[in-house]
Amino acid sequence: MPKIGKKLQEARKQIDKNTLYEPLEAFELVKKVAPGKFDETVEVAFRLGVDPRHADQQLRGAVVLPHGTGKTKTVLVFAKGDKAKEAEAAGADFVGAEDLVEKIQGGWTGFDVAIATPDLMGLVGRLGRILGPRGLMPNPKTGTVTFDVGPAVRDAKGGKITYRTDKIGIIHAPIGKVSFEAQKLAENFKTLADTLIRIKPASAKGQYMKTITVSSTMGPGVRINPNKI
């Protein structure tokens, strides 16, 4: 068994494992017990009543958090002509086409988000084996394959996150930093929770929001009452 540090042990003592907290109360507690000496990321895990073995219950998408994530993302855009100029004007860090494909094929992946115009997806498709496993492949479901490159770049820079169910129906997502006010973390959380409720698959049976747990990077989990969202 791995050894648990003293700070994490002390943090765990301040959380009642049998309590389902109100969202705002949960985030106040996460901030209070965060043991790291750095500005930890606050993450949420939704365990949903879905069966990802069925295609219609595989949830995937993107949402723009009202207060961002606290992290500045490096954005790459595959575009040409006027769309390339639009991407540059919106603040994209890297813009190009064949030149970027060649650079990535050479092993470079120095970016957090990749956006592509639909007409270049035939070219970008060559990078599937490199970008796919890293979660960087542009996808229409997450709004990263679009001719509206300007808004897409601004969203990515301003707090857009992507989400998807894993093999057992859990969605993990970052919703801010420990340095955020608890109210802002709660509002980011609500935006994501409302989105997941809105896209609930019609075929999903039983309780949809089974468990919700929030935590900082180094801290213990705090459970939120699913009935309070």
Side-chain angles (χ1 to χ4, degrees), residues 22-128:
E22 300 278 340
L24 184 58
E25 185 181 13
F27 289 112
E28 289 172 342
L29 192 52
V30 166
K31 285 170 58 66
K32 179 182 177 182
V33 304
K37 294 183 179 180
F38 60 97
D39 192 8
E40 299 176 52
T41 296
V42 176
E43 301 175 337
V44 59
F46 293 89
R47 186 165 70 89
L48 304 178
V50 297
D51 185 348
R53 292 176 298 178
H54 301 292
D56 63 331
Q57 295 187 40
Q58 295 172 4
L59 306 185
R60 182 175 185 177
V63 61
V64 178
L65 301 179
H67 304 293
T69 63
K71 177 183 178 181
T72 300
K73 293 186 176 181
T74 301
V75 180
L76 175 148
V77 179
F78 295 100
K80 292 183 176 181
D82 290 341
K83 290 301 174 181
K85 294 178 182 178
E86 181 182 338
E88 291 171 349
D93 299 279
F94 305 99
V95 182
E98 286 87 357
D99 56 330
L100 289 181
V101 170
E102 184 176 344
K103 189 174 182 179
I104 293 169
Q105 287 175 328
W108 175 76
T109 53
F111 51 94
D112 302 305
V113 179
I115 297 167
T117 52
D119 57 316
L120 290 187
M121 280 307 292
L123 176 67
V124 178
R126 303 174 190 173
L127 304 174

Side-chain angles (χ1 to χ4, degrees), residues 1-10 12:
M1 292 289 289
K3 186 176 181 180
I4 300 175
K6 290 183 178 180
K7 289 185 177 181
L8 182 54
Q9 290 181 37
E10 289 300 315
R12 286 182 172 179

Side-chain angles (χ1 to χ4, degrees), residues 13-227:
K13 290 179 182 179
Q14 299 180 63
I15 298 170
D16 185 347
K17 294 181 180 180
N18 298 317
T19 297
L20 296 178
Y21 294 90
E22 300 278 340
L24 184 58
E25 185 181 13
F27 289 112
E28 289 172 342
L29 192 52
V30 166
K31 285 170 58 66
K32 179 182 177 182
V33 304
K37 294 183 179 180
F38 60 97
D39 192 8
E40 299 176 52
T41 296
V42 176
E43 301 175 337
V44 59
F46 293 89
R47 186 165 70 89
L48 304 178
V50 297
D51 185 348
R53 292 176 298 178
H54 301 292
D56 63 331
Q57 295 187 40
Q58 295 172 4
L59 306 185
R60 182 175 185 177
V63 61
V64 178
L65 301 179
H67 304 293
T69 63
K71 177 183 178 181
T72 300
K73 293 186 176 181
T74 301
V75 180
L76 175 148
V77 179
F78 295 100
K80 292 183 176 181
D82 290 341
K83 290 301 174 181
K85 294 178 182 178
E86 181 182 338
E88 291 171 349
D93 299 279
F94 305 99
V95 182
E98 286 87 357
D99 56 330
L100 289 181
V101 170
E102 184 176 344
K103 189 174 182 179
I104 293 169
Q105 287 175 328
W108 175 76
T109 53
F111 51 94
D112 302 305
V113 179
I115 297 167
T117 52
D119 57 316
L120 290 187
M121 280 307 292
L123 176 67
V124 178
R126 303 174 190 173
L127 304 174
R129 290 184 179 180
I130 300 173
L131 301 185
R134 293 174 172 79
L136 294 173
M137 192 67 182
N139 190 301
K141 292 183 179 180
T142 59
T144 50
V145 176
T146 176
F147 280 119
D148 295 325
V149 292
V153 170
R154 287 189 287 272
D155 282 349
K157 288 282 189 179
K160 183 178 182 179
I161 62 169
T162 59
Y163 59 84
R164 68 183 301 172
T165 46
D166 64 15
K167 294 180 180 179
I168 58 175
I170 296 177
I171 284 178
H172 299 269
I175 53 172
K177 295 285 186 177
V178 166
S179 59
F180 282 24
E181 296 175 6
Q183 183 63 45
K184 290 185 176 181
L185 289 170
E187 289 171 3
N188 278 354
F189 164 79
K190 185 177 186 302
T191 297
L192 176 56
D194 287 349
T195 298
L196 297 180
I197 291 171
R198 188 178 68 249
I199 63 171
K200 175 185 177 182
S203 58
K205 305 299 181 183
Q207 184 178 357
Y208 180 54
M209 290 278 180
K210 290 189 172 183
T211 64
I212 305 171
T213 305
V214 293
S215 65
S216 62
T217 305
M218 305 292 290
V222 179
R223 295 172 66 196
I224 287 179
N225 189 339
N227 297 321

